[in-house]
């Protein structure tokens, strides 16, 4: 089973957004409404410490999101190395880094989030499109 | 069983711990500074290799020993690795992480940073080796503790094996 792991350098907000767009829990072709965003975040977002993996969808592929803070590059490299250590095919897991939203922990539930999503939506769309093209 | 010594950049403390574990550095005496500096992998990694798992060899029990750099946020790194392996349903029962960074002094840390981060190898490398040399006994005790844990795990595994 293929694993898609969305990661960002923050608390995981952007990773969750991109993962939700990827698996159809948010629209990809238009800006989501504030209600859609609030519902997504209240349902799926957990302010766990960085490095905590969250599964958004289990079938037919596993889609996860994870905020990695400043360790993003290091962790991605380590994940690849551990895949090799346990002789798992590298192609089984796709790591999808997305740029983080400049949010503090307190801001995620406020209107600030919507403003940030609006500002970054096109960027996320473009990145998702690139991921689709890469396979 | 896989034993992973981790520190900031896998250049100094974890390399020395792995070398002691594998018998490349002595446990019964303090080595000469030259012996530390002559280790092939001492003070060699680059910033872009942080996060890479380095295989160092097999110990006398036949267990693989690795070093790993996790940067400044080791908790994030460890959590991410463990949760990633769980996600893939990989059993982590044979995986043991031991932090080596806390067993070296400030001199070794400053020397390491000067050499690896700022490129002042001529100053940083001997300074870090000197810092490690000063507190070598502490690193030996740490490795001996790891080896004792390793022996305990082997005993537990053999007891479990007999029960089955």
């Amino acid at each position: 089973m293929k694993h898609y792991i969305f990661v960002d350098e923050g608390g995981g907000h952007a990773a969750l957004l991109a993962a939700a767009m990827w698996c159809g829990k948010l629209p990809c072709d238009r800006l989501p409404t504030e209600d859609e965003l609030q519902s997504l975040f209240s349902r799926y977002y957990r302010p766990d410490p960085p490095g905590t993996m969250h599964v958004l969808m289990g079938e037919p592929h596993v889609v996860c999101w994870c905020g990695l803070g400043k360790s993003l590059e290091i962790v991605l490299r380590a994940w690849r190395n551990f895949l090799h250590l346990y002789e798992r095919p590298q192609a089984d897991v796709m790591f999808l880094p997305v740029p983080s939203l400049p949010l503090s922990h307190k801001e995620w539930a406020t209107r600030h989030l919507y403003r940030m999503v609006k500002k970054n939506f096109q960027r996320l769309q473009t990145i998702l499109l690139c991921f689709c093209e890469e396979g | 069983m896989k034993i992973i010594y981790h520190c900031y950049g896998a250049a100094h403390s974890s390399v020395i711990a792995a070398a002691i574990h594998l018998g490349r550095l002595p446990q019964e005496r303090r080595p000469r500074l030259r012996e530390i500096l002559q280790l092939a992998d001492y003070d060699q990694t680059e910033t872009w290799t942080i996060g890479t798992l380095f295989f160092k060899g097999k110990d006398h029990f036949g267990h693989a020993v690795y070093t790993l750099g996790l940067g400044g946020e080791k908790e994030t790194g460890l959590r991410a690795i463990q949760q990633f392996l769980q996600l893939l349903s990989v059993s982590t029962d044979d995986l043991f992480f031991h932090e080596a960074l806390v067993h070296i002094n400030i001199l070794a840390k400053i020397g390491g940073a000067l050499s690896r981060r700022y490129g002042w190898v001529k100053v940083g490398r001997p300074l870090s080796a000197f810092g490690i040399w000063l507190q070598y006994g502490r690193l030996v005790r740490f490795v001996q503790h790891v080896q004792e844990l390793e022996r305990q795990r082997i005993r537990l595994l053999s007891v479990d094996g007999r029960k089955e």
Side-chain angles (χ1 to χ4, degrees), chain B:
Chain B
M1 202 180 289
K2 297 172 180 69
I3 294 155
I4 300 173
Y5 288 102
H6 66 91
C7 61
Y8 185 93
H12 306 100
S13 58
S14 60
V15 166
I16 296 295
I20 296 170
H21 191 116
L22 294 167
R24 288 173 194 154
L25 283 176
Q27 290 202 9
E28 65 290 343
R29 66 171 174 89
R30 193 189 286 194
R32 290 182 185 169
L33 216 55
R34 210 176 45 199
E35 288 179 80
I36 295 174
L37 290 167
Q38 277 175 348
L39 285 172
D41 49 356
Y42 183 75
D43 192 46
Q44 293 298 325
T45 55
E46 301 291 340
T47 308
W48 60 268
T49 62
I50 298 180
T52 306
L53 197 57
F54 294 101
F55 175 68
K56 296 294 165 180
K58 288 196 170 183
D59 64 11
H60 58 281
F61 294 114
H63 299 150
V65 177
Y66 299 86
T67 59
L68 172 68
L70 287 172
E73 296 183 359
K74 58 173 190 292
E75 289 88 4
T76 302
L78 288 175
R79 193 179 303 115
I81 291 166
Q82 277 158 354
Q83 299 212 355
F84 174 66
L85 294 174
Q86 276 172 19
L87 180 76
L88 299 179
S89 310
V90 171
S91 166
T92 52
D93 293 350
D94 67 336
L95 197 56
F96 296 98
F97 290 94
H98 299 282
E99 193 191 359
L101 189 65
V102 291
H103 300 284
I104 59 168
N105 59 19
I106 190 77
L107 266 186
K109 287 176 189 170
I110 291 171
L114 285 177
S115 171
R116 295 297 90 203
R117 190 181 298 178
Y118 301 107
W120 293 7
V121 180
K122 277 189 179 169
V123 182
R125 187 171 292 172
L127 184 64
S128 66
F130 180 64
I132 283 168
W133 181 83
L134 278 179
Q135 278 206 325
Y136 189 76
R138 191 172 164 190
L139 271 164
V140 169
R141 284 193 296 278
F142 160 60
V143 172
Q144 285 172 341
H145 175 66
V146 171
Q147 288 176 324
E148 181 50 38
L149 290 175
E150 192 182 359
R151 276 190 284 273
Q152 284 175 15
R153 284 171 201 139
I154 293 168
R155 260 178 261 138
L156 275 173
L157 285 174
S158 62
V159 169
D160 287 348
R162 257 179 269 152
K163 275 182 191 168
E164 281 167 16

